[in-house]
Amino acid sequence: MSSDFEAYEQDFGTLTAEITNKIGRIPKLGGEEKTQLVLNVDKQLEEVRELMEQMDLEVREIPIQSRGMYQNRLKSYKGEMEKLEKDFKRSRIAYSDEVRNELLGEDAGSSESQLIKLREERAHLLDNTEKLERSSRRLEAGYQIAVETEQVGQEILANLHTDREKIQRSRDRLRETDANLGKSSRILTGMLRRIIQNRVLVFVLGAIILLTIVLAIYFNVRGQ
């Protein structure tokens, strides 16, 4: 798992280096060339987002004793990603002096204030967009926590159900054992009763035999 994470790190480093270079070039361009480069950077940023998702999944699969180190690295990469996105948004509304003069032409003096105002308005819109994106990420994180909580709850319920089945089986075994003990007790009671009856019978027979011997001796002595 860690080897996959490190491979993603290498891809992340390569992509972010390319994006940083292109972001620095965007303000120096104009027209169709700038539009194409912006689209290219936007596509690469999407690739980085997908790469971050893969890294996040890999971190979750790493054993918990080693996970902390990778989580810190992932957090650092997320911070770098956020900075790249901010730089990209600023670069789209930024112009170098050469490009600005080319766009404004002879009306540079009168239109520069309008351009500054336009840039301020666009910066304000970008700030609002960033706030919305942060709120969206927080909602997504909250949803993820809710899903994980639901999964934990389902696991707990499954464990409780399993424990309940084990307890029920234990109760059934106890009932069966109790029934067997009751049957054994009745058998032992019957055997004890028969033993007592046999002893009484032996005692009676012994008494009869003894009485017979005494009577025989008595009549034999008397007859003499």
Side-chain angles (χ1 to χ4, degrees):
M1 292 298 178
S2 60
S3 59
D4 293 336
F5 184 86
E6 290 168 358
Y8 290 139
E9 282 183 311
Q10 292 178 359
D11 294 339
F12 178 85
T14 302
L15 274 173
T16 52
E18 292 179 4
I19 292 171
T20 301
N21 179 265
K22 291 176 181 178
I23 287 175
R25 290 167 49 201
I26 288 175
K28 301 176 183 179
L29 302 175
E32 184 64 22
E33 190 176 4
K34 179 174 182 176
T35 301
Q36 290 298 324
L37 188 57
V38 166
L39 291 175
N40 182 263
V41 171
D42 192 50
K43 181 180 178 181
Q44 285 188 310
L45 283 172
E46 184 60 31
E47 291 178 6
V48 175
R49 293 187 194 98
E50 292 176 358
L51 193 61
M52 296 287 290
E53 291 178 0
Q54 292 296 325
M55 293 170 75
D56 186 54
L57 291 175
E58 287 297 326
V59 168
R60 297 187 184 190
E61 296 297 326
I62 292 174
I64 192 169
Q65 61 268 22
S66 305
R67 192 179 301 169
M69 176 181 65
Y70 291 95
Q71 285 177 333
N72 291 333
R73 285 156 68 174
L74 181 60
K75 184 177 180 181
S76 174
Y77 297 143
K78 287 180 179 180
E80 187 175 346
M81 177 65 184
E82 290 178 1
K83 183 179 182 300
L84 276 177
E85 290 178 335
K86 290 179 181 178
D87 291 343
F88 176 54
K89 290 174 182 177
R90 292 192 185 96
S91 70
R92 286 184 297 179
I93 61 173
Y95 295 91
S96 65
D97 292 339
E98 181 181 348
V99 174
R100 184 172 63 250
N101 291 334
E102 181 181 345
L103 290 173
L104 296 176
E106 295 179 355
D107 296 331
S110 61
S111 301
E112 187 170 2
S113 60
Q114 295 179 1
L115 180 60
I116 293 173
K117 183 178 180 181
L118 178 62
R119 289 175 62 183
E120 290 176 350
E121 290 176 352
R122 294 186 67 179
H124 181 67
L125 288 174
L126 288 174
D127 288 339
N128 289 336
T129 301
E130 289 178 2
K131 290 178 181 178
L132 288 173
E133 289 179 352
R134 286 196 296 270
S135 299
S136 177
R137 286 195 292 269
R138 283 196 293 268
L139 287 173
E140 185 177 354
Y143 173 75
Q144 185 64 32
I145 292 173
V147 170
E148 292 176 356
T149 302
E150 182 181 4
Q151 291 175 348
V152 171
Q154 290 176 350
E155 291 176 359
I156 292 173
L157 288 175
N159 291 335
L160 289 174
H161 180 70
T162 302
D163 293 341
R164 181 181 178 184
E165 289 181 347
K166 290 179 180 178
I167 292 172
Q168 187 62 41
R169 287 195 296 269
S170 298
R171 287 179 177 175
D172 293 340
R173 284 196 294 269
L174 285 173
R175 291 193 188 99
E176 184 178 352
T177 302
D178 186 59
N180 291 333
L181 287 174
K183 186 183 295 183
S184 299
S185 178
R186 287 192 296 272
I187 292 172
L188 289 173
T189 301
M191 292 175 64
L192 182 61
R193 186 181 300 112
R194 284 193 293 273
I195 290 171
I196 293 173
Q197 289 174 351
N198 290 336
R199 287 185 178 179
V200 170
L201 181 59
V202 169
F203 177 76
V204 171
L205 289 175
I208 293 173
I209 292 171
L210 180 61
L211 180 61
T212 302
I213 292 172
V214 171
L215 289 175
I217 294 172
Y218 172 75
F219 286 115
N220 186 28
V221 172
R222 186 176 179 185
Q224 292 178 359

